[in-house]
Amino acid sequence: MRSSRSRLRPRPRQTAEALRLFLVGLICQVAVACAAPATPAAAAPPTSPSQAADAIGAIVRDEIANGKVPGAVVVLGIGDRIVVRQAYGNRSVMPSVQPATLDTIYDAASLTKVMATSVAIMQLVERGQIDLDRPAAAYWPAFAANGKADITVRQLMTHYAALPAGIPTRAWSGTEGALDAIVALKPLAPAGTRFVYSDVDFIVLGEIVRRVSGQSLDAYAAQNIFQPLGMRDTSFRPSAPRDRIAPADVEGGELRWGEVQDPIAYRMGGVAGHAGVFTTADDLTKFAQMMLSGGKGVLKPASVAAMTQPQSPPGGSALRGLGWDIDSPYAVWMAPSFSTQSYGHTGYTGTAIWIDPSTRTFLIVLTNRLHPDGKGNNLQMLRRISTVAGAASRGEQSRVMSGIDVLEAYGFRQLAGRRVGLITNRSALDSGGRRTADVLRQASARQGGGPQLVALFSPEHGLDAAAEGKIASGRDQATGLPVFSLYGETRRPTPTMLAGLDALVFDMQDVGARYYTYPTTMAYAMEAAAASKLDFYVLDRPDPITASTVQGAVLDDDLTSFITYLPLPVRHGMTLGELARLFNAEKNIGVRLHVVTMRRYERTMWFDQTGFAWVPPSPNLPKLEQAVLYPGVGMIEAANVSVGRGTDSPFELVGAPWIDGKALTDHLNGRRIAGVRFEAATFTPREWVYPGQRCEGVRIVLTDRNRLDSPLLGVELMAALWRLYGDRLQIDRTLGMIGSRASLAAVKALVDPRDVAQSWTPGVAEFLAKRQPHLLY
């Protein structure tokens, strides 16, 4: 092999256009570098109670500083210990600044549904005065008008009555006016067929309490719930001094202070089944402890169990208890951090409670996030606090539950009675090591209306994730089901394949890199499901290289292909469920999408921290370490170099017959790339590039995955090969992988790879903003 010494000199490749493209990116990068750098993996949530208290305080203070909330009161109880009981910031910032205190009274908003109305209904059920499965009209005859005669009390409590979310706040006043407006409503769909979170449902329930008990809801709740529990500061229409009450936003030029913020409840005089209760964190603590005790003093244990287990109709995608939220789109801010036994509720004003009997944990967050201008938002704060609280409650026991595990834990209720097709491969296993295909097939045999698995669909590499090239359709030996290939004659499910199905279910392990076909297979299937009006379920799984890190060039808009469905950075930091939400929104797919979220998953987790065993999702990623390197080494594999495919070390080797291994090793080690080192290597691939030929090059040794910027590694490899072997390297073939014409031009112009990586910052910043609304953890 020729000496490489002469190849170290820069060659005259710095074209004006290449430099122009790079400088434009660099100028943009300077403008946003401080605001939004590529995100490294964040520290894992603390697991000890003392660490949790410090972390929660830091989170709340950060949200206050960012203007998301004026202040907050947080209580975290774990077992018999109160870990956090603290007030932060201010309860009011106008007309004067007043600090938040532990006894600050907050508008509980929709917590009214679980604190007052649901408990009242269940007490009346215990007394034999209400039957959950009787029509609501049995207790309020006028409600039956306009097609509502069949709506049951249970459907109202689970939000499956299919009533509109609210009523217009005009043309009526007072409680009687609201009730008349409800009588005039028509359902949006047959009762029991659609989840619609509806304040109307609980206004109706509040009226049923009044009619059955003979007391107004506020009087009933005070006598039968709040007073027995010693909740001295909890009531509708609070009489406490105004300086103890946290104000809401400005209405008509005046602060809403001590009067319910909800416009319907306000027009009803402050007492309604869906909103109106004011409370403190200490009073809510008593309520949470009552629930954890099995209802002591207020409810029977059987009632608490019924309220906090799924009661929504089989086949309903949102899991609701009787009043309580369990696993619905409204639960994503808190539920994933806790067990499948957990339940809770949030309120529009910025209130929340979540309870996990498995660890005897409760979390209470009270804010008046609407004060003073209605623009605050506490949802990200809830997610952040819940992550810390969940980690602290389980300590070191952090095994993650994947989507299929969660589906099993809830008895497959979301899919009950549905004929489903499953898009999967061998990487989809439950915590017991069983294929999702086998789990769903066995569920099909269950009595009581389980899901009916009728077809399988396989992606690239087939059902066993071991084949290369086109995949033929066939039949799965274990289940006997037909297997339709989505990497053969078609890459999209056809109408014939989907005939007779009610839903498609997607469960596979992604690798976290932009260039991988499984997310595109998912997106194509979402498009097909939308066209055929099928529901689409994603059983979520971890991003194996962490979902907390976003790095690399965002793909140029016109370079999308089957390996990249949407312009993404090389390392996108999203789970497949989150990608599905992003795809559905950005491409206006319009599919009825349901993501079965993981439990106890933290974005900072590497795959080997989840408790799952690594199952190769494709033939050339047999080890997690190779998946960690893949976003970097994969960037150059379209060129005429071997990346170790056809050896026992794919994506750990880079070489070619024309490379001097020692020269390349010395050059790369001289670059001091964080997280890796390089050793000279000689290998002979069995297949792919240069089969049977002796290749020289480097072995990449992963030394610190937390410090590795894998897309930068890819550019370093590309730049080294170009500088040393530009007359041999077919560098233009890497465009689809690096994804940026400007970056490729900069590499060809011999710009330092670190400067190339810095030029990605504007694209990453824009993507982070686009990604944020679709995150689930």
Side-chain angles (χ1 to χ4, degrees), residues 77-80 285-296 304 308 341 343 354-363:
I78 302 175
D80 297 325
T285 295
K286 295 173 182 176
F287 185 84
Q289 290 170 332
M290 176 274 293
M291 294 295 295
L292 283 172
S293 74
K296 185 176 181 180
V304 172
T308 58
Q341 297 179 36
Y343 56 91
W354 208 265
I355 301 171
D356 190 348
S358 72
T359 55
R360 296 190 57 77
T361 296
F362 65 88
L363 174 63

Side-chain angles (χ1 to χ4, degrees), residues 310 317 319 326-328 335-342 399-415 429-431 436 439-440 446 507 538-541 595-601 612 777:
S317 58
L319 296 185
I326 295 175
D327 194 359
S328 82
S337 296
F338 300 97
S339 80
T340 51
Q341 297 179 36
S342 70
R399 184 181 180 89
V400 174
M401 297 178 71
S402 68
I404 183 60
D405 293 324
V406 173
L407 199 66
E408 287 184 80
Y410 290 130
F412 307 96
R413 193 178 186 91
Q414 301 97 310
L415 296 175
L429 303 177
D430 73 354
S431 59
T436 295
V439 172
L440 288 180
R446 291 174 47 174
D507 190 13
V538 179
L539 308 185
D540 214 6
R541 291 187 176 274
V595 179
V596 180
T597 56
M598 293 176 280
R599 295 299 172 97
R600 303 192 292 258
Y601 175 65
F612 297 132
Y777 313 96

Side-chain angles (χ1 to χ4, degrees), residues 261-277:
Q261 184 277 337
D262 180 85
I264 296 176
Y266 180 77
R267 288 179 69 88
M268 292 176 66
V271 179
H274 71 293
V277 167

Side-chain angles (χ1 to χ4, degrees), residues 298-377:
V298 175
L299 290 166
K300 295 178 180 178
S303 295
V304 172
M307 293 174 76
T308 58
Q309 295 173 7
Q311 298 288 339
S312 41
S317 58
L319 296 185
R320 303 285 301 202
L322 297 174
W324 292 96
D325 198 357
I326 295 175
D327 194 359
S328 82
Y330 298 91
V332 297
W333 307 102
M334 303 182 82
S337 296
F338 300 97
S339 80
T340 51
Q341 297 179 36
S342 70
Y343 56 91
H345 215 285
T346 57
Y348 181 76
T349 53
T351 58
I353 182 171
W354 208 265
I355 301 171
D356 190 348
S358 72
T359 55
R360 296 190 57 77
T361 296
F362 65 88
L363 174 63
I364 294 164
V365 180
L366 297 180
T367 79
N368 53 334
R369 59 103 183 170
L370 297 172
H371 179 69
D373 56 9
K375 296 180 180 179
N377 189 324

